[in-house]
Amino acid sequence: GESVGLHLPTLSVQEGDNSIINCAYSNSASDYFIWYKQESGKGPQFIIDIRSNMDKRQGQRVTVLLNKTVKHLSLQIAATQPGDSAVYFCAEIMASGTYKYIFGTGTRLKVLA
Amino acid sequence: EPEVTQTPSHQVTQMGQEVILRCVPISNHLYFYWYRQILGQKVEFLVSFYNNEISEKSEIFDDQFSVERPDGSNFTLKIRSTKLEDSAMYFCASSPMGYNSPLHFGNGTRLTVT
């Protein structure tokens, strides 16, 4: 039967270290991807996006890497801070002409002081 | 920075009752969405809305659900006869363009059906 809830994978990192959060996406035809951060009791917050014609994009303290060959997306956070503690998940647009973003399961990031 | 606002933050209702969840999207955005998140589960797509009509909906969005943009600022989700399994966080989102643009989410309405 359907599981009542998902056990989120958890990544624990020391404050100041770099974090790498991974996501496997489902559709090889997807051509737009977004990373979101969700803090407890809040809505998903946009972090960074990337289109499929790129393999890397950098923002402030964050970098997204896209490997289309293995359908893999990663989010790198430099110098992780306590405020980075949240659930992170990726979203993909499945195909051209759709407005339906598909969200991944999510990874909980815990920053240790 | 402009943001999506949702009211109420928490709604408790009895099974079988109708509820209306309200959202004010970002003012210059053209595409509007409702997503839901059952506790501990993924964020799930319900419906997208553009040019005063539904552009896409999921299998979750059955006849009990409807959306409306009654004026130039509000975007509502109505559940006609709530069920226990409708208990979830409901997120409204908007985007300036439908495709290849990030969604901006509100902080959600927690719906509890008893």
Side-chain angles (χ1 to χ4, degrees), chain B residues 83-99:
Chain B
K83 303 186 285 287
L84 294 176
E85 54 265 37
D86 294 327
S87 295
M89 282 291 286
Y90 287 81
F91 293 107
C92 174
S94 67
S95 65
M97 299 178 291
Y99 186 62

Side-chain angles (χ1 to χ4, degrees), chain B residues 3-21:
Chain B
E3 56 182 30
V4 175
T5 57
Q6 290 185 243
T7 54
S9 56
H10 191 188
Q11 173 87 50
V12 181
T13 189
Q14 288 191 325
M15 196 167 49
Q17 295 297 304
E18 175 184 286
V19 294
I20 298 176
L21 310 183

Side-chain angles (χ1 to χ4, degrees), chain B:
Chain B
E1 186 175 322
E3 56 182 30
V4 175
T5 57
Q6 290 185 243
T7 54
S9 56
H10 191 188
Q11 173 87 50
V12 181
T13 189
Q14 288 191 325
M15 196 167 49
Q17 295 297 304
E18 175 184 286
V19 294
I20 298 176
L21 310 183
R22 302 180 191 279
C23 170
V24 179
I26 295 173
S27 62
N28 62 346
H29 286 187
L30 301 177
Y31 295 81
F32 314 113
Y33 310 81
W34 283 99
Y35 281 77
R36 80 172 186 189
Q37 187 177 32
I38 294 172
L39 185 62
Q41 298 191 20
K42 291 184 183 184
V43 176
E44 300 175 289
F45 170 80
L46 291 178
V47 66
S48 59
F49 190 87
Y50 170 71
N51 201 26
N52 284 321
E53 61 182 27
I54 290 173
S55 49
E56 196 164 1
K57 61 183 180 179
S58 73
E59 59 277 4
I60 302 168
F61 195 88
D62 61 22
D63 292 344
Q64 293 300 311
F65 291 86
S66 63
V67 290
E68 193 177 32
R69 188 154 163 82
D71 52 42
S73 59
N74 291 284
F75 180 51
T76 62
L77 174 70
K78 181 193 291 186
I79 309 175
R80 260 179 274 283
S81 177
T82 50
K83 303 186 285 287
L84 294 176
E85 54 265 37
D86 294 327
S87 295
M89 282 291 286
Y90 287 81
F91 293 107
C92 174
S94 67
S95 65
M97 299 178 291
Y99 186 62
N100 280 1
S101 67
L103 306 183
H104 298 259
F105 284 86
N107 281 329
T109 293
R110 179 173 298 285
L111 176 64
T112 302
V113 182
T114 61

Side-chain angles (χ1 to χ4, degrees), chain A residues 43-98:
Chain A
Q45 178 187 358
F46 170 79
I47 301 172
I48 192 167
D49 58 0
I50 189 167
R51 288 173 170 71
S52 60
N53 61 351
M54 304 170 71
D55 53 22
K56 180 179 180 178
R57 189 162 188 230
Q58 288 185 289
Q60 189 176 19
R61 276 202 311 120
V62 294
T63 301
V64 55
L65 299 177
L66 174 62
N67 185 331
K68 294 183 286 293
T69 304
V70 294
K71 295 191 290 184
H72 184 266
L73 202 61
S74 69
L75 176 71
Q76 300 178 0
I77 305 173
T80 313
Q81 302 168 359
D84 295 327
S85 293
V87 176
Y88 291 80
F89 45 85
C90 63
E92 63 184 298
I93 278 275
M94 295 290 284
S96 177
T98 180

